Amino acid sequence: MAQSTEARSLAPRLGAWVEDGPSVRWRVWAPGHKQVEAVVYDADDRVLRTLPLTPEADGCFGGVLAEQGAGLRYKLRLDGGDPFPDPWSRSQPAGVHGPSEVVVSDHGWTDSHWKGPDPKSLVIYEVHVGTATPEGTFEAFIPKLAHLRELGVNTLELLPVASFPGARNWGYDGVDLFAPQATYGGPRGLRRLIDAAHAHGIAVLIDAVYNHFGPDGNYLGAYSPHYFTKTHHTPWGDAVNYDSEGSHFVRSLVLSNVEMWIRDYHADGLRLDAAHALVDDGQPHLLAEIVERAHAAGNGRRVVIIAEDERNERKLVTPVKDGGYGLDGVWADDLHHQLRRAFAGDHEGYYQDYTGSAEDIATTLRQGWFYQGQKSQNLGHARGTSSEGLAPWHFVHCIQNHDQVGNRPFGNRLSEDVSPAAYRAMSTLLLLSPFTPLLFMGQEWNARTPFLYFTDHNAELGKLVTEGRRKEFSGFSRFKGEQVPDPQDRDTFTRSTLDWSEPEAPRHAGVHALYKELLRLRATEPVLTHRQGTHDARALGPDAFVLERRAEGDTVLIIVNLRGSLVHALPPHASAGIVLWSESPRFGGTVEGSPLTGNIVRLEGPSAAVVKLRE
């Protein structure tokens, strides 16, 4: 049964926090329980005292411990049983099974000048904190911010940082939504990274997972049976309860978490994981409420909310006043899939839905996504809605991301499956299109380090994960007979660490230079920056296509050749000049001279030429 808007707004603050005095106040939602106690620990995990909490309304228990403040560690005991961490904990310094810690927002922020990102001009750089540097911490990444600024990146997207089991994880097994991972540096480290990013003019998005919670260290069910519902199901089991009995507290868990990242950590927005698996039959939909709460928490700063969603659903980015959810952007993977099919030949799984033909790539570029209601062979039903009238910046495109690299059994980056020339051509298209580009860490220098799937679960669960991972790829012809790396092996994690000595090495310097030049053009070329500009795309025969971008009488053509030879005549009455040539030696190519002679463009093999026309 859906909860009313009024009922949803009445859910109280939960967890533990410091009040004036000082004192620590607890509020715990534990309906159906008769007794809840706060068990206080010292730094060596020895019990100091136990505080009975008083029953309150709506299944809550509360209490105050005077003369205590930040740093106090505690667990919660239900009906005299074993004590558990607080599911609303703001810090888990000893991991998801250890005592929770009371923290305060005492960072000396220096970003009062910061107004937030422009959602229409994002260049997103996706980072897994644990493998982005050898140290694997928030603060260790701060020196890398200068690299991003010089590259032309203006938005840093952090893979999930909410506390997960063990020391190694992608983050999608998070169980303590409010507690930044201790091995990354905890609350203090995250605040320092975000403050430093703002000083460099870089926004920070947090990847937030609200469609499911991890299996290890997940104590929600011990407190209330209402955190999950059997009414809906997801690939991870029973769905999180967003629309049935008790759901106003569960929604408060999420909406309070949204507010925390933006208000207390000065994050500039969120990337919502698998929004298609956020099942909510009530009104307003949780996604719309997330957008509303996030913008309010910004307190005048611009805030960006982007969803990963496989449905190609225009409602996600349609304004609330027009019946939508009002998100700023949506991951649109169709272009990635078309390009992988074209250049790498992928054809199994969901790739069977894509031809990779020049015509289909051009269609995807015109529309933002390819599927707009056609039947998906992979899914067995129609997929997608029309994108007509949606501005291109709403669509987040990529040629690599953590899923598309890490969900391959050996964590192969794109460069393992396409030629250097194809890599340069794909990069040119991505960064000069009107859509919002997303880069995966190291992509800008064509990093050779893999990004594997890794975990650090307990032995019993870890064994199941390892077996499941290897079974997952047993049906793929290209992986048969090869041993998939064990996610639990520490070496699987360490092999995934970026090598920051690569960017200036000869084999990487050309691609690095290409990315810098492409992002410079994206930010400075008037045709590419004009807010009222238009775009179109069409095939140039079976093996090439052109993306046209037009503004104020000028046109920039991004001509991409997939294979073979292309001879393309430009309009004879136009003045044409070459802007960028992906096969130039300075970008790692081997072709001297320009591909443009008079009004004829000649391309050989995978390559891209950027030409500017003036009437």
Side-chain angles (χ1 to χ4, degrees):
M1 179 178 66
Q3 300 292 304
S4 70
T5 302
E6 180 181 4
R8 289 171 176 172
S9 67
L10 297 177
R13 180 179 182 180
L14 298 175
W17 60 93
V18 177
E19 293 186 339
D20 291 340
S23 61
V24 171
R25 178 177 292 277
W26 280 271
R27 194 172 181 85
V28 180
W29 184 50
H33 291 284
K34 297 180 179 180
Q35 182 184 46
V36 178
E37 300 166 291
V39 182
V40 179
Y41 295 82
D42 65 14
D44 296 318
D45 287 349
R46 293 177 299 207
V47 176
L48 291 177
R49 63 174 300 174
T50 298
L51 175 72
L53 302 184
T54 303
E56 300 178 353
D58 297 327
C60 289
F61 294 76
V64 178
L65 187 59
E67 299 181 2
Q68 298 293 331
L72 181 142
R73 297 191 180 193
Y74 69 98
K75 286 187 176 183
L76 300 168
R77 178 180 287 132
L78 308 171
D79 296 332
D82 293 332
F84 299 133
D86 183 352
W88 293 63
S89 166
R90 269 56 174 182
S91 176
Q92 290 295 126
V96 299
H97 300 289
S100 302
E101 181 183 41
V102 178
V103 296
V104 294
S105 303
D106 60 351
H107 182 74
W109 293 99
T110 65
D111 64 351
S112 59
H113 66 287
W114 181 250
K115 303 303 180 185
D118 178 357
K120 299 179 180 180
S121 302
L122 304 181
V123 177
I124 304 173
Y125 191 89
E126 191 185 35
V127 164
H128 178 269
V129 173
T131 56
T133 64
E135 299 86 353
T137 64
F138 298 123
E139 293 195 58
F141 195 76
I142 291 175
K144 309 304 181 188
L145 294 170
H147 167 90
L148 299 189
R149 184 192 66 230
E150 293 164 7
L151 178 65
V153 164
N154 58 27
T155 306
L156 176 65
E157 180 182 307
L158 302 178
L159 266 66
V161 299
S163 290
F164 51 74
R168 308 179 298 277
N169 198 285
W170 278 15
Y172 297 95
D173 290 319
V175 292
D176 294 304
L177 300 190
F178 297 87
Q181 176 69 11
T183 56
Y184 289 174
R188 190 175 299 275
L190 179 57
R191 289 189 174 100
R192 287 176 175 171
L193 172 58
I194 294 176
D195 201 18
H198 290 169
H200 282 276
I202 296 173
V204 180
L205 306 182
I206 303 290
D207 194 337
V209 185
Y210 301 134
N211 55 76
H212 75 285
F213 306 125
D216 187 6
N218 182 353
Y219 295 100
L220 289 169
Y223 288 87
S224 169
H226 301 307
Y227 277 109
F228 300 92
T229 175
K230 294 187 180 299
T231 303
H232 309 296
H233 295 276
T234 74
W236 303 279
D238 291 345
V240 181
N241 174 25
Y242 293 127
D243 58 8
S244 302
E245 181 183 357
S247 63
H248 61 294
F249 278 95
V250 186
R251 296 174 77 95
S252 180
L253 176 81
V254 167
L255 297 174
S256 297
N257 187 247
V258 169
E259 292 174 334
M260 181 200 74
W261 291 128
I262 294 167
R263 181 192 62 228
D264 298 345
Y265 286 90
H266 291 202
D268 298 289
L270 304 174
R271 178 266 192 189
L272 303 177
D273 180 62
H276 51 268
L278 285 173
V279 188
D280 179 14
D281 290 338
Q283 292 293 333
H285 194 281
L286 181 65
L287 287 172
E289 285 202 294
I290 286 173
V291 172
E292 180 183 8
R293 291 290 190 95
H295 289 165
N299 194 28
R301 286 186 292 120
R302 289 179 299 227
V303 172
V304 173
I305 305 295
I306 295 171
E308 177 200 24
D309 196 297
E310 64 185 17
R311 295 172 295 182
N312 288 8
E313 175 56 70
R314 66 179 292 118
K315 187 175 184 178
L316 291 165
V317 295
T318 300
V320 173
K321 65 180 179 62
D322 297 325
Y325 299 146
L327 280 77
D328 296 285
V330 59
W331 277 29
D333 288 344
D334 284 357
L335 182 66
H336 170 275
H337 300 344
Q338 295 282 17
L339 294 177
R340 286 279 324 193
R341 183 68 187 263
F343 286 110
D346 295 41
H347 63 280
E348 297 180 292
Y350 50 70
Y351 287 108
Q352 66 185 296
D353 283 344
Y354 302 89
T355 67
S357 69
E359 181 60 49
D360 282 358
I361 294 173
T363 298
T364 308
L365 289 167
R366 288 196 302 272
Q367 299 175 170
W369 50 46
F370 182 76
Y371 276 88
Q372 300 199 105
Q374 312 96 301
K375 182 178 178 179
S376 158
Q377 182 180 345
N378 180 55
L379 298 176
H381 57 74
R383 171 177 175 246
T385 58
S386 170
S387 61
E388 184 177 0
L390 298 180
W393 59 268
H394 289 300
F395 300 83
V396 178
H397 284 181
C398 72
I399 58 174
Q400 296 187 89
N401 62 38
H402 73 278
D403 275 332
Q404 298 302 336
V405 177
N407 280 338
R408 296 175 185 278
F410 306 105
N412 293 353
R413 289 179 177 260
L414 179 63
S415 58
E416 297 293 317
D417 297 315
V418 304
S419 68
Y423 190 94
R424 291 188 289 268
M426 295 167 75
S427 299
T428 300
L429 177 66
L430 173 72
L431 296 183
L432 297 188
S433 84
F435 307 101
T436 296
L438 178 140
L439 284 63
F440 182 57
M441 60 181 194
Q443 176 179 327
E444 71 276 20
W445 70 76
N446 199 2
R448 307 294 291 182
T449 49
F451 184 71
L452 294 153
Y453 180 67
F454 44 80
T455 55
D456 187 22
H457 293 305
N458 61 69
E460 182 178 355
L461 178 58
K463 181 181 179 181
L464 296 175
V465 169
T466 298
E467 292 173 350
R469 181 72 172 173
R470 289 173 172 165
K471 182 179 179 181
E472 178 183 355
F473 294 104
S474 61
F476 286 78
S477 58
R478 64 185 298 186
F479 307 129
K480 286 183 177 178
E482 298 186 68
Q483 183 80 317
V484 175
D486 182 357
Q488 288 283 104
D489 189 335
R490 184 177 179 83
D491 182 62
T492 303
F493 169 76
T494 56
R495 286 172 55 202
S496 302
T497 302
L498 274 183
D499 181 355
W500 285 91
S501 70
E502 286 185 340
E504 305 308 320
R507 70 180 301 176
H508 299 280
V511 171
H512 194 196
L514 174 65
Y515 270 71
K516 284 184 177 180
E517 180 62 12
L518 289 169
L519 287 174
R520 186 193 69 79
L521 287 171
R522 185 180 182 90
T524 60
E525 165 54 51
V527 175
L528 305 182
T529 60
H530 201 287
R531 288 292 173 85
Q532 303 305 315
T534 60
H535 81 281
D536 195 7
R538 65 184 184 278
L540 302 176
D543 296 320
F545 60 90
V546 58
L547 170 64
E548 290 189 9
R549 302 201 52 189
R550 300 181 291 265
E552 295 189 339
D554 289 339
T555 301
V556 168
L557 306 177
I558 300 97
I559 303 169
V560 179
N561 196 43
L562 301 177
R563 62 190 66 85
S565 300
L566 172 70
V567 179
H568 176 62
L570 302 175
H573 57 280
S575 172
I578 193 74
V579 176
L580 183 141
W581 164 226
S582 67
E583 291 310 289
S584 168
R586 72 185 180 111
F587 301 138
T590 59
V591 182
E592 298 285 354
S594 172
L596 177 65
T597 304
N599 73 327
I600 302 296
V601 175
R602 292 180 173 84
L603 302 181
E604 189 69 37
S607 53
V610 183
V611 178
K612 187 169 185 179
L613 302 180
R614 289 188 173 89
E615 298 294 333

